[in-house]
Amino acid sequence: MKQSSSAATVTAKVNGFIEPTFEATQETDGWHEGYFGAPWKKPKHVPWKHIKAVFTQTKVTMHNARLIQAEHTEHGGNTASFFDDHGFVLLDMPTEVKDWNQDYSKTDTDITNIYHKEVEGAIRNQLFPDGTDFSHISQESAVLRRGPKSENPFYALGVHEDYALGIEDFKEASSAYIPDDATNEAFLSEIDEKLAECEVFMVICFWRPINLRGGALLNNPLCVLDRATVGEKDIVKSHIHGITPTGKAQPQLMLKHDKEQRWCYYPDMTENEVLVFKQFYYKKSDPNGKFQCCFHSAFKDPREGFFAKQKRQSTEHRVGVYIK
């Protein structure tokens, strides 16, 4: 693994925490209602105070996760145990992929022909204990790219967790991105069939910087929150409006900041490294169990100069993992 910045912590500004005094009411059925878009297009039922509640910037102590992971290894831990303890882990994972396809309608791509095997190998051999009984590993034929020359030239500069808490929230969030009714029905049926065969279902994100030309990432890296330091009182259920192709709201989770939270990042990531983190977790026998996922956000690395020219390019590959 790359040797990088040796500083144990840096202080960084992170956007999008919910104001500490915010409380959702019966007016919105206990949910925060968020909106991204032109003010005059705001849905009438979305209160302005809900929108304003996330216009925050908070100073956060950012912990060097390279040091934390190295210490875990020195004390006899491995990749799988670190991933289980914290909800994220860094992998050395060089790839043979040349074309990071963004078109989900294409099936004969480097993602399906190359990346699927690389990712499945990491899941089976590094991320879970030996003997884990997988029933399905589901991957898409494309990745979500961010940065210049991508379909998403912006960065997610705000604390969030993508799929909310329950399995119905997950289905609703996913369906909000599927405009075709027949395709959506087929997707939901496939999910139900696979859920019937498993005890645990999770979505894992493989996040990788690309096109660094042998360099290291400094511009808009990703930070993740150690899932073991999340207080349930700080989690806020949120409907996000204005971001999906169907026009439907996406259920997500937002967060209030607490000084006990341990925010982490891996300084100077290379394109041979992948940050893996849990985006959704559901266990049939314990659907309301301890929170397992990682809140996350892009942020400005305070080491980056004002006139820096690097513009992050990255890929997100979200994988459904079903375990018996």
Side-chain angles (χ1 to χ4, degrees), residues 39-200:
W40 56 89
K41 293 184 179 180
K42 179 187 76 70
K44 292 182 179 180
H45 72 280
V46 176
W48 281 111
K49 66 179 181 180
H50 285 223
I51 296 173
K52 294 176 181 177
V54 297
F55 281 96
T56 63
Q57 190 174 71
T58 306
K59 284 187 177 181
V60 172
T61 298
M62 203 68 66
H63 297 262
N64 186 336
R66 291 185 185 276
L67 302 181
I68 299 170
Q69 190 169 333
E71 182 180 11
H72 182 87
T73 303
E74 289 170 4
H75 286 82
N78 58 22
T79 299
S81 58
F82 190 88
F83 186 52
D84 183 56
D85 288 348
H86 304 285
F88 66 88
V89 72
L90 188 73
L91 301 182
D92 276 321
M93 191 174 161
T95 181
E96 297 297 322
V97 173
K98 304 298 184 205
D99 180 11
W100 294 99
N101 174 51
Q102 303 177 79
D103 185 348
Y104 288 85
S105 68
K106 294 181 179 179
T107 56
D108 185 16
T109 71
D110 275 9
I111 306 304
T112 52
N113 298 329
I114 300 172
Y115 210 41
H116 280 198
K117 295 176 183 177
E118 296 174 347
V119 166
E120 183 164 342
I123 291 171
R124 291 185 179 277
N125 300 321
Q126 296 186 70
L127 293 178
F128 294 91
D130 292 342
T132 299
D133 191 0
F134 300 97
S135 58
H136 298 281
I137 296 175
S138 299
Q139 303 188 58
E140 298 282 1
S141 62
V143 296
L144 188 156
R145 285 185 56 177
R146 294 194 186 276
K149 300 180 181 179
S150 78
E151 295 181 2
N152 301 278
F154 57 91
Y155 307 114
L157 288 160
V159 173
H160 66 287
E161 200 285 314
D162 293 88
Y163 294 108
L165 289 170
I167 191 64
E168 295 305 318
D169 293 336
F170 171 79
K171 292 178 181 179
E172 185 179 343
S174 301
S175 293
Y177 286 87
I178 308 175
D180 181 72
D181 289 343
T183 302
N184 184 49
E185 288 180 12
F187 165 78
L188 294 176
S189 294
E190 181 181 352
I191 291 289
D192 287 337
E193 289 174 6
K194 292 177 178 177
L195 287 173
E197 301 175 5
C198 76
E199 165 65 10
V200 171

